[in-house]
Amino acid sequence: MTASPSTHAPTTHAPTTHDSPWWRHAVIYQVYPRSFADHDGDGVGDLPGITSRLPYLAELGVDAIWISPFYLSPMADAGYDVADYRDIDPVFGTLDDADSLIATAHDLGLRVLVDLVPNHTSDEHLWFEEAVAAAPGSPERERFIFRDGRGDGSEPPNNWKSIFGGIAWTRVTEADGQPGQWYLHLFDTKQPDLNWHNPEVVEEFHDILRFWLDRGVDGFRVDVAHSLVKDPELPDWEQRAVMAGADDEPLVHGDLGPMWDQDGVHEVYRGWRRVLDSYNPEGDPARDRILCAEAWLPTQERTMAYVREDEMHQAFNFHYLQAPWRATDQRRIIETSLVAAEEVGAPTTWVLSNHDVVRHASRMGLPVGSPRPNGIGVDDPQPNAVLGLRRARAATAMMLALPGSAYLYNGEELGLPDHTALPDGVRQDPAFHRTQGEETGRDGCRIPLPWVADQPSFGFGTGDVTDAEPWLPQPLLYGPLSVDRQEGVAGSTLELYRTLLRLRREHDLGVGGLEWVTDLGGMPLPDDVVAFTNARADGPPVTVVTNLGDDPVIVPEDRDVLVCSGFLHTGADGQRLLQRDTTVWLA
């Protein structure tokens, strides 16, 4: 079929080849293990539960999974406080369970990335216990950031604040029973920061990388990758790191300070890259082991410094996640993301939700330009659920048509919203508790997934009536959104995701090129429409149109509809009309 002529703006991104390394175009699905699937019925998700659901993920059409921390931990911050990087917490299973998960995933064609938390350990890590027992100035204390207090020693060494509220220092009691030095923790009190100026710390993490690479993992997502190295002078800094802001403000850990994005961090990752590359001496792109940076930074240029050729492979595109649902902002972020990545030869990643932000099905139900919450409580303005899901489906359809790699968060393929009415008494996020409820926290996006509507806990557990209650309560509205209620149902969010992922792979959109479209079928497109073509080097283009405006867009009759995030209306004269907050892919 001959397509109607369209006018294109200059090429923003050129197509790459079919044999590009897998990570340059992969769709990676984040599994939050506490909330994915509970195999033993104790109310907490586990590794055998993940393994049992891997066929579902393979059928969904993703290329890889990233698993949030499953290490031995006292769970002060849901596992991001690690007591042993080489063992599995019993709540999640055993090392044998991890090996089985990795092997099963590989048998299904899924790669496996695991979370690595290098900024801090748990205060129950052996190293920290040794440090507290040792004397000031000892080699054990040099693994962390211990300092004498100011004045008579009773005041913290500087004025730094914790991400989770309160001061970023805690004083220890020395062996003689007297108050002693202070240790730094940019996050919870139970998460002491490591000293990355210490070669022993550097070598320890090289060994941790090798431990998991030897077990077959395909890479690592690196938690707060921009934080490891601190200014050794530890100067005072007047601002507090934040995780939220208005739509038009950068979503970063505050402005850059002496504890974030220090130049020395890049040498750390060059060393890590050498370790990973040693596992692929032939340079086979199918065998690449990768690093992905979680780095909240104020500019894309600073983010791209982490993905230079000899450092990490990917970095999360949080500028895209925070972009307001306005056509001008969407076009700007897409274009600047592609350009910034190309300057260092890296792929762009796209992401809309994760375990640290309000799910986009809820976030997009708030008025555009309203303050971005770090969580939504029962007394907060409530999202418009219908509008939020409509926009979320349209945003996902646009995102999965973009060249590069994409990340999905578990449950978003079901259209799950945040739990916005959690009682304070069940909240577990340390951000909520350390701020005395001033910050709602992230529990609402971490609710256990619904699998079977008419089973206890919506099938999150074994389905047995004796299963423990889930670690966080599920809202009743999760029942109709369960997997079994959406599978095979035309128009369901689950089937939309499956279709988008299948078409993305069939048309090689991950390695395609992007050109902006300014008219469709000879008709100029209004400014509140985002439209582009994604074309591989040797195939026909796919045209993607997202209507963010009030006026419907006419879809030419000579264009085949591949998929639509909603449905096309029929006008009085029989024309196909794309309504507001809807995305369509056209052949």
Side-chain angles (χ1 to χ4, degrees):
M1 177 178 293
T2 302
S4 301
S6 297
T7 300
H8 301 275
T11 300
T12 293
H13 176 75
T16 53
T17 61
H18 297 286
D19 58 355
S20 294
W22 66 271
W23 46 271
R24 298 188 73 93
H25 53 82
V27 177
I28 301 172
Y29 183 101
Q30 180 188 358
V31 173
Y32 194 69
R34 297 178 66 87
S35 297
F36 191 68
D38 174 17
H39 187 265
D40 60 10
D42 66 352
V44 180
D46 45 44
L47 298 187
I50 297 171
T51 303
S52 72
R53 297 293 187 178
L54 288 175
Y56 163 83
L57 296 179
E59 185 177 356
L60 182 63
V62 299
D63 303 293
I65 62 172
W66 146 40
I67 308 174
S68 292
F70 47 46
Y71 310 108
L72 187 67
S73 169
M75 302 294 169
D77 185 22
Y80 283 91
D81 48 320
V82 180
D84 189 340
Y85 292 89
R86 298 177 181 84
D87 202 1
I88 306 298
D89 195 276
V91 75
F92 297 131
T94 65
L95 278 171
D96 286 343
D97 292 329
D99 292 340
S100 176
L101 188 161
I102 294 166
T104 302
H106 288 168
D107 288 344
L108 291 167
L110 297 170
R111 290 180 168 86
V112 179
L113 279 62
V114 297
D115 223 310
L116 194 57
V117 188
N119 179 70
H120 47 263
T121 70
S122 165
D123 66 344
E124 297 183 28
H125 190 285
L126 176 62
W127 271 14
F128 191 73
E129 292 175 344
E130 291 175 343
V132 173
S138 63
E140 289 84 0
R141 289 208 174 177
E142 284 303 307
R143 297 165 174 165
F144 297 89
I145 302 177
F146 279 85
R147 295 290 188 275
D148 294 330
R150 291 197 275 202
D152 62 358
S154 63
E155 295 296 321
N158 65 26
N159 67 349
W160 292 5
K161 301 295 192 296
S162 164
I163 287 289
F164 292 155
I167 63 173
W169 296 90
T170 291
R171 198 174 191 186
V172 300
T173 300
E174 303 294 355
D176 61 2
Q178 296 301 308
Q181 287 190 306
W182 299 72
Y183 68 88
L184 177 69
H185 51 88
L186 290 182
F187 292 86
D188 191 72
T189 304
K190 291 181 67 63
Q191 294 170 293
D193 281 44
L194 287 159
N195 174 17
W196 277 91
H197 295 287
N198 186 335
E200 189 177 0
V201 173
V202 173
E203 184 51 43
E204 169 69 358
F205 273 83
H206 286 185
D207 192 69
I208 292 167
L209 292 171
R210 295 187 191 102
F211 177 87
W212 287 104
L213 291 168
D214 289 342
R215 301 192 93 89
V217 304
D218 300 284
F220 303 87
R221 174 268 190 186
V222 183
D223 187 59
V224 286
H226 59 307
S227 64
L228 279 58
V229 175
K230 284 80 176 176
D231 183 332
E233 298 299 320
L234 302 179
D236 278 353
W237 192 55
E238 296 302 324
Q239 301 188 50
R240 178 183 167 228
V242 295
M243 289 283 290
D247 271 345
D248 294 321
E249 297 172 356
L251 181 58
V252 298
H253 289 295
D255 295 330
L256 297 183
M259 68 291 287
W260 305 114
D261 196 34
Q262 300 294 296
D263 288 341
V265 77
H266 296 286
E267 187 55 39
V268 172
Y269 298 132
R270 292 186 188 103
W272 288 23
R273 179 63 176 262
R274 289 191 291 270
V275 172
L276 267 66
D277 286 349
S278 72
Y279 281 75
N280 185 12
E282 295 83 13
D284 179 358
R287 294 175 52 198
D288 281 350
R289 315 288 185 92
I290 75 164
L291 298 167
C292 180
E294 183 211 24
W296 298 86
L297 295 165
T299 68
Q300 291 174 326
E301 289 72 23
R302 293 298 298 183
T303 304
M304 289 300 102
Y306 288 78
V307 291
R308 290 174 288 197
E309 186 176 1
D310 60 346
E311 295 189 44
M312 296 197 176
H313 301 74
Q314 296 182 339
F316 289 125
N317 188 347
F318 293 125
H319 297 272
Y320 179 74
L321 181 149
Q322 69 176 345
W325 189 241
R326 291 189 289 255
T328 53
D329 293 285
Q330 294 291 316
R331 281 192 295 269
R332 174 178 54 84
I333 292 296
I334 292 169
E335 181 153 359
T336 57
S337 297
L338 291 167
V339 170
E342 287 179 357
E343 288 180 353
V344 294
T348 305
T349 65
W350 312 102
V351 60
L352 289 167
S353 285
N354 64 33
H355 66 294
D356 282 330
V357 300
V358 173
R359 288 180 177 274
H360 64 288
S362 291
R363 198 172 68 242
M364 290 183 160
L366 298 171
V368 175
S370 61
R372 179 180 292 101
N374 75 322
I376 300 174
V378 66
D379 295 325
D380 295 324
Q382 295 296 298
N384 181 323
V386 174
L387 176 63
L389 181 57
R390 180 183 176 93
R391 287 176 172 171
R393 287 165 58 105
T396 298
M398 180 166 61
M399 178 185 79
L400 289 176
L402 293 168
S405 181
Y407 280 79
L408 308 178
Y409 178 49
N410 61 197
E412 72 168 77
E413 77 278 8
L414 304 177
L416 296 184
D418 260 43
H419 193 334
T420 62
L422 274 175
D424 288 351
V426 304
R427 293 190 179 276
Q428 301 192 28
D429 190 343
F432 173 81
H433 295 286
R434 284 180 59 85
T435 62
Q436 291 76 50
E438 180 181 336
E439 293 187 10
T440 305
R442 302 158 293 176
D443 296 304
C445 67
R446 300 176 175 183
I447 305 300
L449 268 57
W451 294 92
V452 183
D454 60 0
Q455 288 186 0
S457 69
F458 301 132
F460 169 65
T462 66
D464 193 314
V465 293
T466 63
D467 284 353
E469 291 294 320
W471 71 283
L472 285 173
Q474 300 158 301
L476 291 178
L477 60 84
Y478 271 28
L481 298 176
S482 63
V483 172
D484 75 316
R485 292 292 176 88
Q486 297 198 46
E487 271 189 319
V489 177
S492 70
T493 303
L494 174 58
E495 293 302 332
L496 172 65
Y497 269 71
R498 287 176 172 173
T499 301
L500 292 169
L501 291 168
R502 174 179 57 81
L503 291 170
R504 174 186 169 89
R505 181 171 294 177
E506 289 177 0
H507 291 270
D508 280 339
L509 300 184
V511 297
L514 186 141
E515 294 184 1
W516 295 113
V517 173
T518 57
D519 71 60
L520 189 64
M523 297 289 292
L525 290 170
D527 290 340
D528 47 15
V529 172
V530 176
F532 58 87
T533 61
N534 182 329
R536 58 191 181 192
D538 60 351
V542 172
T543 300
V544 180
V545 185
T546 303
N547 186 4
L548 289 82
D550 292 327
D551 296 329
V553 174
I554 298 173
V555 176
E557 290 297 327
D558 60 352
R559 302 298 293 270
D560 290 334
V561 173
L562 296 173
V563 64
C564 187
S565 69
F567 60 92
L568 298 178
H569 291 252
T570 303
D573 53 2
Q575 292 177 319
R576 298 181 299 178
L577 302 177
L578 184 70
Q579 301 291 336
R580 186 185 181 97
D581 299 322
T582 309
T583 296
V584 65
W585 294 11
L586 304 172

